[in-house]
Amino acid sequence: MENRITKLFTTKDKEILSIYFTAGYPDLNDTETIISELEKHGADLIEVGMPFSDPVADGVVIQQSSEIALDNGMTIHLLFEQLKEIRKHVSVPLILMGYLNPVMQFGIENFCKRCSEIGIDGTIIPDLPLEVYETEYKTIFEAYSVSNIFLITPQTSDERIRKIDGLSSGFIYMVSSSSTTGAKDAVDQEQLAYFERVSKMELRSKRLIGFGISDKHTFQRACSYANGAIIGSAFITAITGEGRIEGKVRQFMNKFES
Amino acid sequence: MNYQSDDKGYYGIFGGAFIPEMMHQNIDQLQNSYLEIIGSESFKEEFKLLLTDYAGRPSPLYYSDRLSDHYNAHIYLKREDLNHTGSHKINNTIGQILLAKRLGKTRIIAETGAGQHGVATATVCARAGLECIVYMGAVDVARQSPNVEKMKMLGAEVRAVQSGSKTLKDATNEAIRDWINNPVDTHYIIGSVVGPHPYPDMVARFQSVISEEIRVQLKSKVGRETPDYVIACVGGGSNAAGAFYHFLNEPSVKLIAVEAAGKGVDTGESAATTQLGKPGILHGSRSLLMQTADGQVIEPYSISAGLDYPGIGPMHANLFTTQRAQFLSATDTEALEAALYLSQKEGIIPALESAHALAALNMIAFKPDDIVVVNVSGRGDKDMETFLNYYQSVK
Ligand SMILES: Cc1ncc(COP(=O)(O)O)c(C=O)c1O
C-alpha cells in the first residue's frame, strides 16, 4: 500500500498542519477521540507521542504530559490496542513519536510489524541516531514500510543534511532552533539564515518545521520556509484543564481555519 | 579479551552514542578531537601539573594495620578522600576543564548527586574563570547541603531539579536539556563513566591515574605492581573505572565492584543495577538499566546520593556480563556500619559511597597473604548529618 505520508505530500505540499499529542494524556483513553477530532478539524498529519520516563529532548510541557500519561498507565502495548481499529475511520497519516528504550524493549521488529498491521505510517525516535538506524534498523523499517523521520537543527551541517535527505522516506523534521520542545518562538537572524540555507539546498524530501510553533501566526511564518509545521506543546497546553476533550481540540483547531 | 571501548565507543554490546540530533554537533566534535587533545604533550603536561600541585596527587596508598588484622589479609586504602575537594571527582573535572578550554567553550554545566562532582566542577571553573551551572536533584540538595553551600561559595549556580525522583538521574536529564538549548558556548562535564561516547572512555582515562599510582605504590611497598583484589563502589562507575583501569588485562587481579543495595536488593528500594537491570538506553548509551517491562526507567533508591542511579557505565556492564569483575552489593545499613568501623579503627571518615566498598570486606573470604586495595573514593564530611541520624537512632 502507498505510504500515507508520501500520498499526503502529493496532494498537498503547502501549509501542512501536523499536531503532536502524548498518548494517555489527559486521560488514558483519550487517544482515539483526540485523533478523530484532530482529523475532523483539519489536521493533515498526526504525531502520537509514546510517553517515556526520561524525555531529554522535551521541555516542561511534554515532560509533564508524559509523566501523567505514564501514571495513567499508558504503555506501547496499550497504545497499539487503542489504535487497533483506527484505520476504520481515520485516514490522515499517523506517526508514532517516542524514545528508543521503550521501543527497544517492545522489540524493534515486533514494533514495526504492529505499526504496519495497524496502519501507522512513520516513526520519530529522537535518540535513535542516523548512524545506528542505517546500520542496524533500516532494513527492518523498510521491510514493514514504516518511514523513520529524522530531525535536523540549526547546528546540522549541509553534508549531514544531504545524508539525512538521502535516507528519508517521509519528510525531514526541521527543529526550528537549538532547543528542547516547547521553547519560546523568537525568530532571530540565525534562525532565518538556517531556514534559508536549508531552502536553498533543494532537497528531495519535504520539510516540516517544529518546536516553538504555537498559533496561526507562528504557523504561517514557518510555512513560508517549509511545506508545513508541527505543533506540540501548545496543543498539549490547550487540552489541559477542565472541559470535554472534543471541545478543547475543536477550539484549538478552529484558530487555524482560514 | 579487550575491556576498553572500540573506536565507536562500544564495550562489547554496551556503549555507543544514542543522542538526539540536537546534540550531534557537540558529541561529534568531542568524538573527533578528544584523543588528539588529551594525548597532546601540552595537555598531558598541564594535566599532570594540576593533578600534582592543585589536587595533591599522588594520593597515598595507606596500609591499614587494623583492618588487615580484622580481615586477616593485607588491606591497603587508596586515599582519594585526601584529594582537593575530597574525592576522586577532581581528577575528571581537571581533565575536562582543560579540554573545554581547548575547545573554546566559555560556559560549563554539570549534574551532581552527592555534590562531590558539583563541587569539583565548581572548583575548576573558579580557577579557569568560566561560568558554572550545576544541576542537582531537589532531594540531593537537601541531603547534601554542605556541598551546595560550597558550590555557591565557589561561584557556581546550583539549580535544584524538581522532576522525577529529584535525584541524580533527573539532574542528568536537566543537564542534557541545558546542553541542547545551549549548544555553542557550553561544555557538559559529565561526572562519571556514563553518557554517550566518548564520555565513558574519556572519563575513565582521566580517572585511570588512580590505578597507575596504585601500581607504582604497591611496587615500592611490596615489590609487585598487582594486588589480588581491587574493591571500589559503583554509582556510574568512575572511581571503579579508575581503580580497575590498569588491571583490566591482569587476570590475577580480582576486580570487585560494589553497588548500593539500598534497603535490600529485593525490597523495591535499591540501586543494584546489575542485579535488577537489563540492557537498555539512558543518557546516551546502551548499558544495564533498571527499568520496567515497558522500558520505563525505575527510580532507584540508596541512602548514598552518589550511588542513587538506575544505570552503570557501559564499561562496567561489559565487565559484569563478561564476568571480568565481580559485582557485590551493600545495603544502607552495611555501609553505615562500615563507615563507623573505619572511623573508629583508623580515624578516617569515609564518604557514604566509599563505605559501600568498605562493607564488601565483610563479604569476601580472603587468604592471609592476599593484597587487597580498597578505593576510598571520598571523605565523609558531606554525610555527617546522615551519619549522626543513624548512629543516634541505633544507640
Ligand atoms: C565519594 C564518591 N564516591 C563514589 C561516587 C560514585 O560515582 P562513581 O561511581 O562515578 O565513582 C560518588 C558520586 O557522587 C562520590 O561522591
Side-chain angles (χ1 to χ4, degrees):
Chain A
M1 210 191 92
E2 193 187 4
N3 186 297
R4 290 176 197 83
I5 304 172
T6 322
K7 197 165 148 220
L8 167 67
F9 286 111
T10 56
T11 52
K12 177 174 181 181
D13 72 349
K14 275 207 293 282
E15 307 222 334
I16 300 229
L17 176 57
S18 178
I19 305 284
Y20 166 93
F21 73 97
T22 308
Y25 179 86
D27 286 321
L28 183 61
N29 294 313
D30 283 339
T31 315
E32 273 196 271
T33 315
I34 293 176
I35 293 174
S36 303
E37 291 298 310
L38 281 173
E39 174 171 58
K40 194 157 98 194
H41 295 289
D44 297 304
L45 199 154
I46 299 170
E47 295 169 22
V48 183
M50 303 175 283
F52 181 48
S53 54
D54 296 86
V56 291
D58 286 300
V60 69
V61 171
I62 295 178
Q63 285 173 45
Q64 279 169 0
S65 65
S66 302
E67 198 175 325
I68 291 170
L70 289 173
D71 285 347
N72 287 343
M74 184 46 71
T75 66
I76 294 181
H77 282 276
L78 180 62
L79 179 59
F80 280 137
E81 263 318 288
Q82 293 179 341
L83 296 178
K84 215 166 52 184
E85 311 273 286
I86 198 79
R87 284 303 173 201
K88 291 198 169 143
H89 53 94
V90 168
S91 58
V92 294
L94 293 173
I95 290 172
L96 294 187
M97 179 163 184
Y99 291 81
L100 184 54
N101 195 52
V103 177
M104 227 179 74
Q105 301 308 322
F106 191 90
I108 300 283
E109 169 127 33
N110 207 12
F111 180 83
C112 289
K113 182 160 169 274
R114 291 294 284 141
C115 284
S116 130
E117 285 164 3
I118 289 170
I120 302 292
D121 307 284
T123 52
I124 303 174
I125 306 174
D127 58 343
L128 170 56
L130 183 64
E131 294 73 16
V132 179
Y133 173 78
E134 211 181 349
T135 53
E136 294 180 35
Y137 299 143
K138 185 166 174 271
T139 48
I140 305 174
F141 277 72
E142 286 178 354
Y144 292 98
S145 303
V146 177
S147 296
N148 190 50
I149 286 142
F150 296 100
L151 276 53
I152 62 171
T153 81
Q155 310 292 315
T156 312
S157 68
D158 285 5
E159 187 192 345
R160 192 167 167 82
I161 292 175
R162 292 256 175 246
K163 186 164 181 202
I164 289 172
D165 189 35
L167 270 177
S168 296
S169 57
F171 58 88
I172 289 178
Y173 191 137
M174 278 181 74
V175 176
S176 61
S177 59
S178 306
S179 69
T180 42
T181 55
K184 276 273 165 311
D185 179 64
V187 184
D188 56 21
Q189 277 317 107
E190 196 192 328
Q191 194 177 32
L192 288 180
Y194 156 62
F195 288 168
E196 274 158 19
R197 168 168 72 98
V198 178
S199 295
K200 284 205 194 103
M201 288 182 73
E202 301 190 354
L203 303 175
R204 52 176 277 278
S205 309
K206 304 291 177 182
R207 288 167 285 123
L208 299 184
I209 294 179
F211 287 36
I213 317 287
S214 57
D215 53 21
K216 186 161 184 173
H217 175 67
T218 46
F219 173 71
Q220 284 184 330
R221 198 176 47 204
C223 287
S224 62
Y225 295 96
N227 305 91
I230 303 160
I231 300 177
S233 299
F235 178 69
I236 303 222
T237 305
I239 60 170
T240 299
E242 294 301 299
R244 278 166 54 86
I245 189 71
E246 291 88 341
K248 288 186 286 187
V249 175
R250 174 169 23 88
Q251 228 178 9
F252 184 83
M253 293 301 289
N254 280 347
K255 293 192 219 146
F256 292 89
E257 262 165 30
S258 29
Chain B
M1 194 83 161
N2 181 15
Y3 299 103
Q4 302 290 358
S5 75
D6 66 16
D7 60 355
K8 295 248 181 322
Y10 280 91
Y11 299 84
I13 62 163
F14 301 108
F18 295 85
I19 47 159
E21 186 62 28
M22 295 81 116
M23 287 167 78
H24 176 82
Q25 184 71 11
N26 275 317
I27 293 300
D28 194 51
Q29 183 186 32
L30 280 178
Q31 287 174 354
N32 290 329
S33 62
Y34 84 109
L35 287 178
E36 196 183 313
I37 292 176
I38 72 180
S40 71
E41 282 312 313
S42 78
F43 184 98
K44 286 197 287 195
E45 233 169 75
E46 206 179 343
F47 185 48
K48 173 103 187 98
L49 185 73
L50 286 174
L51 285 182
T52 309
D53 291 354
Y54 188 66
R57 302 202 71 90
S59 68
L61 184 69
Y62 168 69
Y63 183 77
S64 165
D65 273 319
R66 300 189 75 188
L67 291 191
S68 297
D69 262 1
H70 185 75
Y71 292 106
N72 198 22
H74 301 289
I75 313 281
Y76 288 87
L77 304 178
K78 181 59 174 165
R79 299 289 309 275
E80 292 297 302
D81 59 310
L82 292 177
N83 294 338
H84 179 41
T85 72
S87 81
H88 68 294
K89 298 286 183 187
I90 192 81
N91 305 330
N92 171 41
T93 60
I94 290 176
Q96 286 204 49
I97 200 81
L98 296 179
L99 179 87
K101 282 237 152 189
R102 280 163 174 76
L103 293 173
K105 302 288 186 173
T106 54
R107 179 176 176 272
I108 298 295
I109 54 171
E111 85 297 339
T112 195
Q116 288 302 107
H117 175 60
V119 168
T121 304
T123 297
V124 295
C125 286
R127 188 182 167 278
L130 298 186
E131 183 186 356
C132 178
I133 291 153
V134 180
Y135 290 91
M136 187 170 189
V139 167
D140 295 337
V141 168
R143 65 177 159 174
Q144 308 278 220
S145 65
N147 276 342
V148 177
E149 298 312 319
K150 280 186 200 165
M151 286 184 264
K152 289 184 182 161
M153 181 163 175
L154 290 161
E157 181 190 340
V158 180
R159 294 191 184 159
V161 174
Q162 302 290 349
S163 57
S165 57
K166 304 181 172 55
T167 59
L168 183 53
K169 164 182 84 92
D170 312 286
T172 308
N173 289 343
E174 224 36 68
I176 291 174
R177 289 183 188 119
D178 181 309
W179 209 16
I180 287 174
N181 283 284
N182 299 282
V184 179
D185 59 348
T186 300
H187 175 69
Y188 176 17
I189 301 192
I190 293 186
S192 192
V193 286
V194 300
H197 175 58
Y199 280 104
D201 181 52
M202 181 168 73
V203 177
R205 285 170 191 260
F206 291 147
Q207 292 293 358
S208 69
V209 64
I210 300 173
S211 48
E212 192 181 312
E213 287 173 4
I214 293 173
R215 291 189 78 107
V216 176
Q217 291 165 322
L218 267 187
K219 176 84 181 166
S220 81
K221 286 180 201 295
V222 298
R224 63 180 238 219
E225 291 186 10
T226 53
D228 296 290
Y229 289 88
V230 179
I231 305 177
C233 69
V234 174
S238 66
N239 87 88
F244 294 171
Y245 199 91
H246 291 285
F247 303 117
L248 287 169
N249 293 316
E250 307 259 17
S252 69
V253 183
K254 298 180 196 69
L255 306 176
I256 311 286
V258 188
E259 296 180 303
K263 296 189 175 158
V265 171
D266 300 319
T267 59
E269 290 184 83
S270 178
T273 303
T274 57
Q275 299 192 54
L276 299 168
K278 51 187 191 316
I281 289 169
L282 181 70
H283 298 151
S285 66
R286 184 179 155 95
S287 189
L288 291 169
L289 178 64
M290 291 169 57
Q291 56 185 313
T292 65
D294 300 313
Q296 307 297 339
V297 181
I298 290 176
E299 314 280 338
Y301 164 80
S302 165
I303 194 169
S304 145
L307 305 183
D308 200 353
Y309 186 72
I312 50 170
M315 173 204 259
H316 294 292
N318 188 49
L319 293 178
F320 173 74
T321 46
T322 58
Q323 300 187 2
R324 172 64 189 96
Q326 185 187 357
F327 280 69
L328 302 175
S329 65
T331 62
D332 291 354
T333 311
E334 287 167 335
L336 288 160
E337 289 298 330
L340 186 62
Y341 192 78
L342 187 72
S343 303
Q344 301 193 341
K345 297 297 172 191
E346 283 292 358
I348 297 170
I349 301 178
L352 253 174
E353 291 77 18
S354 323
H356 286 72
L358 292 158
L361 289 170
N362 291 307
M363 305 172 194
I364 301 166
F366 298 112
K367 294 197 294 289
D369 55 359
D370 278 342
I371 294 174
V372 179
V373 177
V374 184
N375 197 35
V376 181
S377 54
R379 65 177 89 123
D381 309 27
K382 67 187 177 59
D383 299 309
M384 284 316 297
E385 202 178 311
T386 311
F387 287 147
L388 289 178
N389 286 341
Y390 173 73
Y391 302 133
Q392 276 160 8
S393 77
V394 294
K395 242 200 297 214

